[in-house]
Amino acid sequence: MVRVPTASVRLLPNAITVLALCAGLSAVMFALSMNYPMAIASIGIAAVLDSLDGRIARLLDATSKMGAELDSLSDAISFGVAPALVLYVWHADSERIGWVVSLVFAVCIVLRLARFNTFLDDTEQPPYASEFFVGVPAPAGGLLALLPLIVSIEFGSGWWSSQAFVWIWTVAIAALLISRIPTLSLKTVKAPAKAIAPLLVGVCLLAAAIFLYPLVALAIALVIYLVHVPYAVYRHRWLASHPEAWTVPPRERRAIRRARSQRRLGLRPPLRRRVAGAAMRAVRYQRNNGEQHVARTNRGAGGNGNGKAPDHGPRRRSWRRIGLRQRSK
């Protein structure tokens, strides 16, 4: 029996999207009243709500084209217009250059969202494409643009709060938004069963850090997100060059990566029997010496008439040849 969602259920994801839009616009109001911590908190709340509306819509089977369009408009305002205006109000004394940079950031957010919507209808992407975003997503970009303001509120003024650095930083984040640099998507990250307990402990520590030091925790999370970008680029390139790993779980991918790295470095798999170093050299010497002796006798003409090599008796072993030291008496 197919369960058809009711109108009230279909309204829930759109209501969450509207709440995210209101939170983003409230950030501008807090910035105008010089309440910058609440402005940052409002954009953070908008980011959390933005990550929930799509998941809830898929769980309730309440996705619609209206919801997708509303989500894009909400993201453009909450993570494009609102952070740009917050930064502009923060450095209100720079009228021209500040306004130009704010316009550039807002336009880049809109362009990034437009490209994201076009990728939704692209069916020719490889299977691993769903694990990555193309460029930095809009919520992360909006919060990254506010990183100088977050550090200034927590640690005071410094080089990170100067106008030149703030506007250069904003332009750099805008470039990451419209770039084709791959970043990891948390939607496809799956935790193994053994990592559930440590993960819950980590969530508890993260909640405690957010309650006690919210701005510091947010700044550390944003820095970690920036640090992960080189790893995401490496992983994307590795998957693009290894089609055999596209449809396998992460454990098998790690096994493929280890096997290829050992083969590239010329390493051999470990021996099943572990022998001490000197004894191992003795075994190898005997094996190689025996093979060379058989080859010499087969090539030589000193046969005894029946096709067998002449028997010279037992060969004396030398302690120095086999790599062992003679035990002192």
Side-chain angles (χ1 to χ4, degrees):
M1 181 178 180
V2 180
R3 184 177 180 181
V4 179
T6 61
S8 58
V9 172
R10 286 185 176 275
L11 183 63
L12 181 60
N14 295 336
I16 295 176
T17 305
V18 172
L19 289 177
L21 174 62
C22 295
L25 289 174
S26 299
V28 181
M29 182 269 295
F30 287 119
L32 292 175
S33 59
M34 303 299 176
N35 192 352
Y36 297 115
M38 285 302 300
I40 297 171
S42 299
I43 296 178
I45 292 173
V48 173
L49 294 176
D50 179 72
S51 64
L52 292 178
D53 57 359
R55 296 176 183 269
I56 293 177
R58 287 188 292 269
L59 287 175
L60 299 178
D61 194 16
T63 58
S64 61
K65 296 190 68 175
M66 176 183 174
E69 297 297 332
L70 182 62
D71 183 70
S72 297
L73 293 173
S74 174
D75 290 351
I77 296 175
S78 299
F79 310 117
V81 176
L85 291 178
V86 170
L87 293 175
Y88 178 73
V89 172
W90 180 35
H91 283 296
D93 51 345
S94 58
E95 298 180 358
R96 297 183 179 180
I97 186 64
W99 181 245
V100 171
V101 173
S102 300
L103 288 178
V104 169
F105 182 80
V107 170
C108 288
I109 281 282
V110 173
L111 292 176
R112 190 258 178 276
L113 293 170
R115 185 177 62 185
F116 176 77
N117 292 337
T118 58
F119 283 161
L120 294 177
D121 300 329
D122 189 2
T123 58
E124 298 181 357
Q125 296 183 2
Y128 65 88
S130 60
E131 302 179 14
F132 301 91
F133 288 118
V134 180
V136 175
L143 290 172
L144 283 172
L146 297 176
L147 186 57
L149 177 59
I150 296 172
V151 176
S152 298
I153 295 174
E154 188 65 28
F155 301 103
S157 301
W159 57 266
W160 52 81
S161 61
S162 62
Q163 293 183 8
F165 178 80
V166 170
W167 301 134
I168 293 174
W169 175 266
T170 306
V171 172
I173 299 301
L176 287 177
L177 288 167
I178 61 175
S179 67
R180 303 191 69 87
I181 297 176
T183 56
L184 292 180
S185 174
L186 297 179
K187 298 178 182 179
T188 57
V189 175
K190 296 181 181 179
K194 295 181 180 180
I196 291 179
L199 185 62
L200 292 177
V201 175
V203 171
C204 177
L205 295 177
L206 179 61
I210 291 175
F211 285 122
L212 296 177
Y213 309 100
L215 294 179
V216 175
L218 181 57
I220 293 175
L222 293 176
V223 171
I224 292 175
Y225 185 83
L226 283 177
V227 171
H228 105 283
V229 174
Y231 168 74
V233 174
Y234 164 75
R235 182 175 174 179
H236 187 274
R237 291 181 177 177
W238 187 87
L239 286 174
S241 58
H242 296 81
E244 68 275 9
W246 289 358
T247 58
V248 298
R251 286 187 178 181
E252 297 183 13
R253 288 182 181 177
R254 288 193 292 268
I256 295 173
R257 191 181 296 109
R258 285 196 298 266
R260 288 189 174 271
S261 62
Q262 289 178 357
R263 196 175 306 167
R264 185 175 61 254
L265 296 174
L267 301 177
R268 296 180 180 179
L271 296 174
R272 294 183 179 179
R273 294 190 227 172
R274 297 183 178 178
V275 189
M280 174 63 71
R281 290 195 298 270
V283 171
R284 289 178 179 173
Y285 176 80
Q286 293 177 6
R287 187 183 304 165
N288 297 333
N289 193 19
E291 292 175 357
Q292 294 175 3
H293 179 68
V294 172
R296 284 197 304 269
T297 54
N298 289 336
R299 290 196 304 266
N304 54 8
N306 55 0
K308 296 183 179 179
D311 189 7
H312 297 289
R315 187 180 182 89
R316 295 184 62 185
R317 298 180 181 177
S318 174
W319 294 102
R320 295 181 179 178
R321 287 184 179 179
I322 63 178
L324 297 178
R325 297 181 179 177
Q326 187 175 5
R327 186 177 60 180
S328 59
K329 295 182 180 180

